[in-house]
Amino acid sequence: MAKVITVFGATGTQGGGVANALLEDPEFKVRIVTRSASSDKARALQMRGAEVVEGSFDDPGSLERALQGAHGTFVMTQNFFEIPDFDQLEIKQGKAVADAAKATGVQHVVFSSLDPVQKTMGFPCLHFDSKAEIEEHMRSIGLPVTIVKFPAYYENYLLLRLVTKLEDGTYEIGVATEGAALDYVSTADMGFAIRTIFKNRAEWLGRTVGFSGGKLTVQQHAEILSKHLAPKVFRASDMTSDAFSELPFPGAKHLGDMFRFLRLGNPTYNEELTRQLYPGTRSLDQWVADNKEALLNALSNSTA
């Protein structure tokens, strides 16, 4: 009998990659949790065979219903920087789903966590620290858990996140790491890595995997994008993390703290282990080549 895996965030980027990979494997039956079962993304997953249930992190009863009878679950929590005390809300919601998984006897929880910046660096990065606190709670209540940690996504380029068109027609990548190399990965690829974790519970239970498709500087990103998307030209921003923190939009301070951590800290990402889980993990060069048309369409449709 197929194992039921409840996927949180399946209509988003991380959870969507997990749901897609699991739907391709008859060993699993996918159950997605969404606030709106009638959304286009939920319906599309349902058409592919997913069971769709409505639920909310703020409704413990709905969480238990979503997890009832599930062998495993992929859990990710979200940040809404524009909401006051968003980190405390995220912690509350993450603990609620952890408690529901414990109550319903889920045998394998895969949780998308991040590093505890305050504890390791002495300065806060709220959207990292909140996930680390949820992870700590999961371990404290004895959940059978595997921790995965995502770096930045290649897919952010499709959404033009931190990509700005300048007056001279070139594109600036506004990642403020001041020349430091960063790990990136494709969330689509990592869906298959997480599928491997679910298929090999005994091997991966209790372990932590930081995903990486390769570590490059932002200047190297700019060179790769310029090569594949010519005649469009990309360049790296020279902005510092402190300057980024002062930008006038919700979340700028938290992203600035993140860039500071990624530059000064030692994030736990592991390209070798990632490729062990999914040998098809793509480099940025491979991913941009595969997504050239989609990237060009995104840039052409943008007014940025």
Side-chain angles (χ1 to χ4, degrees):
M1 183 178 295
K3 296 174 181 175
V4 174
I5 306 293
T6 298
V7 179
F8 290 88
T11 58
T13 309
Q14 281 189 34
V18 175
N20 176 69
L22 293 174
L23 283 166
E24 294 183 11
D25 192 322
E27 183 178 334
F28 301 105
K29 178 175 176 57
V30 177
R31 179 187 296 162
I32 72 165
V33 188
T34 177
R35 287 180 179 273
S36 174
S38 61
S39 71
D40 290 343
K41 289 183 177 180
R43 287 183 180 277
L45 289 166
Q46 188 174 38
M47 290 290 290
R48 292 183 58 198
E51 175 189 359
V52 179
V53 299
E54 290 193 339
S56 166
F57 285 123
D58 298 315
D59 178 1
S62 74
L63 296 177
E64 291 199 12
R65 290 191 294 274
L67 291 166
Q68 196 67 50
H71 168 80
T73 181
F74 172 75
V75 179
M76 64 158 298
T77 52
Q78 293 183 311
N79 309 108
F80 298 97
F81 293 137
E82 67 277 8
I83 298 175
D85 299 321
F86 73 86
D87 57 319
Q88 295 306 308
L89 176 62
E90 181 180 21
I91 291 167
K92 178 183 176 182
Q93 293 178 339
K95 288 182 176 180
V97 74
D99 293 343
K102 180 73 172 180
T104 53
V106 173
Q107 297 180 47
H108 194 184
V109 177
V110 177
F111 176 56
S112 180
S113 188
L114 287 170
D115 287 36
V117 177
Q118 179 70 62
K119 287 185 178 180
T120 59
M121 301 297 293
F123 62 85
C125 182
L126 296 186
H127 62 295
F128 275 53
D129 294 330
S130 55
K131 291 178 175 62
E133 186 167 334
I134 296 166
E135 174 188 337
E136 187 175 302
H137 177 72
M138 288 182 168
R139 295 187 188 279
S140 74
I141 64 173
L143 275 187
V145 65
T146 301
I147 301 299
V148 296
K149 298 183 179 182
F150 281 78
Y153 318 149
Y154 300 150
E155 283 81 0
N156 286 342
Y157 284 122
L158 290 170
L159 302 174
L160 303 184
R161 287 180 177 159
L162 303 181
V163 175
T164 304
K165 189 173 184 179
L166 303 179
E167 289 184 2
D168 64 2
T170 63
Y171 293 87
E172 182 178 76
I173 305 171
V175 176
T177 52
E178 304 171 49
L182 290 183
D183 294 277
Y184 269 72
V185 80
S186 165
T187 55
D189 292 350
M190 292 308 93
F192 294 97
I194 290 169
R195 186 178 74 181
T196 299
I197 290 171
F198 278 122
K199 290 174 76 73
N200 297 277
R201 175 182 181 273
E203 180 180 356
W204 294 98
L205 203 61
R207 296 175 66 179
T208 297
V209 184
F211 293 141
S212 177
K215 194 168 188 173
L216 299 171
T217 66
V218 182
Q219 181 57 45
Q220 289 173 307
H221 278 236
E223 291 167 1
I224 289 168
L225 289 162
S226 297
K227 176 183 74 172
H228 286 288
L229 305 181
K232 298 185 186 298
V233 175
F234 293 77
R235 69 179 183 85
S237 169
D238 58 5
M239 183 175 291
T240 66
S241 57
D242 288 342
F244 193 101
S245 293
E246 299 299 322
L247 293 176
F249 69 87
K253 171 65 166 65
H254 311 301
L255 292 175
D257 291 338
M258 176 190 73
F259 290 137
R260 183 184 177 198
F261 167 66
L262 294 176
R263 176 170 57 89
L264 299 176
N266 186 28
T268 51
Y269 303 122
N270 188 318
E271 183 179 354
E272 181 180 351
L273 198 55
T274 301
R275 295 188 188 281
Q276 179 183 331
L277 280 164
Y278 182 54
T281 298
R282 287 171 288 181
S283 66
L284 177 65
D285 191 79
Q286 292 169 314
W287 183 87
V288 174
D290 290 344
N291 290 275
K292 178 178 177 178
E293 293 306 316
L295 287 162
L296 287 171
N297 286 338
L299 292 167
S300 296
N301 294 332
S302 172
T303 57

